[in-house]
Amino acid sequence: MMEYFERAMRAYRLDGLRSIIGGLKRNTMKQLATSSAHPLFRRCSLSVPLYFWAKEREYRDYLEYILKSNIGEELAREPLRERKSSDTVFILGSGSSINDISAGEWETVGQHDSFGLNKWPIHDFVPTFQVFELPTGAGASSKREFYWSLFETKQVDYADVPVIMKDAPYVFDELGSEPIPDYLERRLLLSLDIELPRWDDSTELLRDVLRWLDSSGMFSIDSDILPLYRKRGSISYLLFLATKLGYERIVLAGVDLNDARYFYEERHDEYESRGIPLPDTSREDDRDKDDVHRTNDPKVAAVTLEDVIYTIDKTILAPNDIELYTATKQSSLYPTLDYYEIDEADTA
C-alpha cells in the first residue's frame, strides 16, 4: 500500500490530480489487457486488436508521464533511419562466442551497422546503436548502479551513439527517487515496446499475432518506429526494430542460447585491470553456466526464445526478403539458421 501511495504522490507533484487520474486509467487498461481479461479475449475475435489498443494507450500515457519529469526523449523523435548506413546489421549479444571473433573480423563488422545489447559496452567495439533494459525487482538497485557506472566509464566512446532504454514504463515507477546520472538522463531514448500477448503461450498464437501485425503494416519501413514489440527476450525486440529500419540482412552474434557463459566472464581479469565495471555474475538460482540460457529453457516458459526467433523469421523476415543468420556455429540456432562467415577485413 505504501508503494502505491508514494507513486501517487510523485505523480501529484509532477502533474497534479491529472497524473493520479491518469495512473488509475493506466491501471484499468492494464487489467483489461492482462490476466483478468484473458478468458474474454480467447472468445473474442477482436482479442488481438483490443489487446494492442489497450497496451499502446497505457504505454503512451506512461511515456508522457516520464517525459514530463525531464527524463529522456521519445525514441520516435530520434531519426534512426537517417543513421542507417548499411543493408546488413549485426545484433551483438553477450554470449561467450563473441571472444572467437578476431580483430580483422571486427574490422569487417565495423563496416556495417550494429546494435549493442544490454551489457555490450563492456566490449571495446562501439556499435551504431545501444539498447538496454534496467533490472527490476529485489536487489535490482545495485544492478542498475552497474549500468550507470558502465555508461559513465564509456561516455566518451558512446557520445554519438543513440542509447535506447526499453521497458521504460516498468522501470520508472520502481526507480522512485533513485537518480539517473546527469550525463545520461536527457539523452536516453525511451521506447514504447509492447509484450506480445501470452494468454495462450504457444507458437500458434505468436504466429497469428505476428501475421495480424504485419497485415496492419506495423513492420513496414513506412510505419512509425513506435510501437515496438517483444517476446521472451530483447533479441525479439531488436529483430522487430531492424525490420522497421529496413535492413535486408540481420546477423546474430553472441546469441548462443545453449549456455549461460558471457564474453566478459572469460576476460574478467583483463577488463577489471582496465577499470571497466563488471556485473555480479553470481547465480541467484540453481542454474549452472552450462545450463541452457534461461530465455531458451522450456521449463521456464513453454515458448522459448529459439521458438520466438524461428517464428519471427518464418512469419515476418523471410516473407519480406529479410535474411537472418547466426555468426557462430556454437549457437543453438545453428544449423536451423544459416551460418554467416565474417571475412577478415584487409587492414594492410
Side-chain angles (χ1 to χ4, degrees):
M1 180 63 69
M2 182 61 66
E3 173 189 350
Y4 292 108
F5 176 75
E6 291 176 352
R7 186 181 303 176
M9 290 306 298
R10 289 201 306 272
Y12 181 78
R13 287 194 296 270
L14 181 65
D15 199 27
L17 187 60
R18 181 174 178 273
S19 282
I20 296 179
I21 295 173
L24 292 172
K25 182 176 71 172
R26 289 193 297 271
N27 188 61
T28 300
M29 288 186 171
K30 184 175 183 179
Q31 292 301 317
L32 171 66
T34 51
S35 59
S36 62
H38 291 172
L40 172 64
F41 278 172
R42 282 195 291 269
R43 295 192 298 269
C44 177
S45 61
L46 295 177
S47 58
V48 172
L50 282 172
Y51 175 88
F52 285 108
W53 174 81
K55 281 290 188 182
E56 185 169 349
R57 288 290 300 272
E58 175 198 352
Y59 289 173
R60 286 199 181 279
D61 279 351
Y62 264 123
L63 275 184
E64 181 181 346
Y65 175 49
I66 297 170
L67 294 170
K68 282 184 176 179
S69 64
N70 294 317
I71 295 177
E73 293 285 350
E74 188 176 359
L75 177 61
R77 294 179 178 271
E78 171 69 23
L80 295 185
R81 292 189 179 103
E82 294 180 11
R83 290 179 176 264
K84 179 175 174 286
S85 64
S86 65
D87 293 326
T88 298
V89 65
F90 285 81
I91 292 177
L92 305 174
S94 295
S96 61
S97 65
I98 284 294
N99 291 327
D100 297 332
I101 300 177
S102 69
E105 290 170 336
W106 280 119
E107 290 281 346
T108 299
V109 174
Q111 295 171 7
H112 303 282
D113 290 350
S114 55
F115 286 102
L117 178 59
N118 288 333
K119 301 176 181 69
W120 182 260
I122 294 172
H123 201 278
D124 293 337
F125 181 85
V126 179
T128 314
F129 311 97
Q130 170 65 25
V131 174
F132 79 109
E133 59 183 279
L134 287 175
T136 58
S141 180
S142 62
K143 296 178 182 178
R144 292 193 289 266
E145 186 59 37
F146 154 75
Y147 274 105
W148 305 144
S149 298
L150 180 60
F151 281 119
E152 182 175 22
T153 301
K154 292 296 187 83
Q155 63 178 301
V156 174
D157 292 339
Y158 280 70
D160 296 321
V161 175
V163 178
I164 302 168
M165 179 177 165
K166 63 184 290 290
D167 294 354
Y170 290 106
V171 178
F172 185 75
D173 279 337
E174 188 170 315
L175 288 178
S177 59
E178 181 181 319
I180 296 176
D182 292 341
Y183 63 85
L184 194 58
E185 188 175 55
R186 289 302 300 149
R187 60 169 301 207
L188 279 178
L189 297 173
L190 304 181
S191 172
L192 190 161
D193 43 290
I194 299 172
E195 182 180 12
L196 297 181
R198 55 180 178 176
W199 57 80
D200 170 18
D201 201 13
S202 67
T203 54
E204 289 76 17
L205 173 65
L206 176 59
R207 181 194 60 221
D208 292 343
V209 167
L210 292 177
R211 285 176 176 169
W212 181 83
L213 288 170
D214 194 28
S215 67
S216 301
M218 300 308 294
F219 299 123
S220 166
I221 60 173
D222 296 322
S223 66
D224 293 337
I225 290 293
L226 298 182
L228 287 163
Y229 310 96
R230 54 186 165 81
K231 175 76 172 179
R232 281 299 280 135
S234 298
I235 297 299
S236 60
Y237 169 95
L238 288 174
L239 290 176
F240 295 134
L241 179 55
T243 299
K244 284 197 172 191
L245 292 179
Y247 289 103
E248 298 175 5
R249 282 170 298 282
I250 304 172
V251 184
L252 302 178
V255 183
D256 301 343
L257 301 183
N258 47 17
D259 60 32
R261 298 180 183 277
Y262 303 110
F263 73 84
Y264 45 82
E265 291 177 305
E266 295 183 2
R267 299 172 58 186
H268 180 279
D269 292 346
E270 174 193 342
Y271 288 125
E272 188 175 53
S273 68
R274 292 163 52 193
I276 298 175
L278 294 168
D280 179 5
T281 56
S282 60
R283 272 30 180 199
E284 297 176 353
D285 50 27
D286 295 330
R287 302 182 70 83
D288 187 82
K289 292 180 181 180
D290 292 323
D291 290 343
V292 64
H293 197 276
R294 185 176 180 83
T295 60
N296 207 38
D297 189 345
K299 290 180 286 188
V300 175
V303 178
T304 66
L305 183 54
E306 205 170 324
D307 294 330
V308 172
I309 290 171
Y310 295 150
T311 304
I312 293 173
D313 186 28
K314 293 176 182 177
T315 309
I316 302 299
L317 304 185
N320 288 286
D321 297 321
I322 301 171
E323 301 169 353
L324 181 62
Y325 298 92
T326 175
T328 175
K329 293 182 180 180
Q330 294 181 32
S331 172
S332 64
L333 299 171
Y334 178 82
T336 303
L337 293 188
D338 288 339
Y339 170 61
Y340 186 96
E341 186 169 0
I342 306 172
D343 296 326
E344 292 214 10
D346 183 4
T347 59

